[in-house]
Amino acid sequence: MTYERFALVYDYLMEDAPYDAWIEFLDRQIKKHGNGGTNILDLACGTGELTVRLAAQGWKTTGVDLSETMLMAAYQKISEYGYHVPLFQQDMRELEGLGRFDGIVMFCDSLNYLLKAEDVLRTFERVYDHLEDGGLFLFDVHSLYKMNCIFLDHTYSFNDQDVSYIWNCFPGEQENSVEHELTFFVREKESGLYERFDEIHVQRTFPPAEYQEWLEQCGFQVVQISADFTDDPPLEQSERIFFVCKKEPIT
């Protein structure tokens, strides 16, 4: 998934995304568990909306994404705000050469685009290698409930003057996976005509216990598993599962 066309409408469709809630969650965890550093990596940074907020808070921020188009949008946005944020095009499974960070965040269910357990484990290994001792890794994923009860076999739609879409969710080939079939109609500014394009996004999630096992296998201490931007343990109908992981110094 490279988001080549999707990047053009991503920010428009994410206007109501809870970016401030992600920042608040990060702030709480940093105060409780952080190592006092100010160097942070926004992994799978997309168009840089969260990246800008991190820079505004004083973090020395770096962004990484797989999509060149997403990074172009992020670069433009970051420049407009006057921040200096290095951006790199890399696959999260092959993260390399970026140095070490006091914190690495990967929010907005980005990890769910990895469909194989070995790819998730490989990503955790690469993240671990890019953290300072005592550094934090924070990420969220869709819950099993959200994948199988909220998304599965449902249709969503949105109609606006500039952008409209139809979003169908079908069972994926693998357990706890969903194929998101998206059809967009985007109004061209000059002609006023609408251009249609289609994309398929596939996501998969795993039970929290499996994520925890893979994290600990890589050397992380899993400090907290919680749900829906709180510090409370997940419930049966929680929708978004958060992990707070710490790289313990080797003694």
Side-chain angles (χ1 to χ4, degrees), residues 169-189:
C169 303
F170 302 105
E173 294 182 0
Q174 297 159 302
E175 184 180 17
N176 301 316
S177 69
V178 171
E179 291 190 6
H180 304 282
E181 183 183 90
L182 295 145
T183 299
F184 293 93
F185 300 90
V186 181
R187 184 173 180 267
E188 295 183 355
K189 292 182 179 180

Side-chain angles (χ1 to χ4, degrees), residues 53-81:
R53 285 169 163 79
L54 292 170
Q57 285 201 324
W59 286 97
K60 183 180 178 182
T61 311
T62 299
V64 168
D65 202 89
L66 179 62
S67 167
E68 181 181 3
T69 310
M70 284 285 197
L71 288 172
M72 289 173 61
Y75 176 79
Q76 181 177 355
K77 183 181 301 178
I78 291 165
S79 298
E80 289 174 355
Y81 279 93

Side-chain angles (χ1 to χ4, degrees), residues 16-36:
D16 296 327
Y19 290 110
D20 290 339
W22 276 305
I23 291 292
E24 290 170 6
F25 181 84
L26 170 63
D27 286 345
R28 290 201 310 273
Q29 306 311 322
I30 289 294
K31 289 175 182 177
K32 289 192 292 185
H33 308 294
N35 65 0

Side-chain angles (χ1 to χ4, degrees), residues 186-200:
V186 181
R187 184 173 180 267
E188 295 183 355
K189 292 182 179 180
E190 294 183 1
S191 67
L193 300 177
Y194 288 85
E195 178 186 9
R196 169 181 170 166
F197 66 91
D198 302 278
E199 293 206 5
I200 294 180

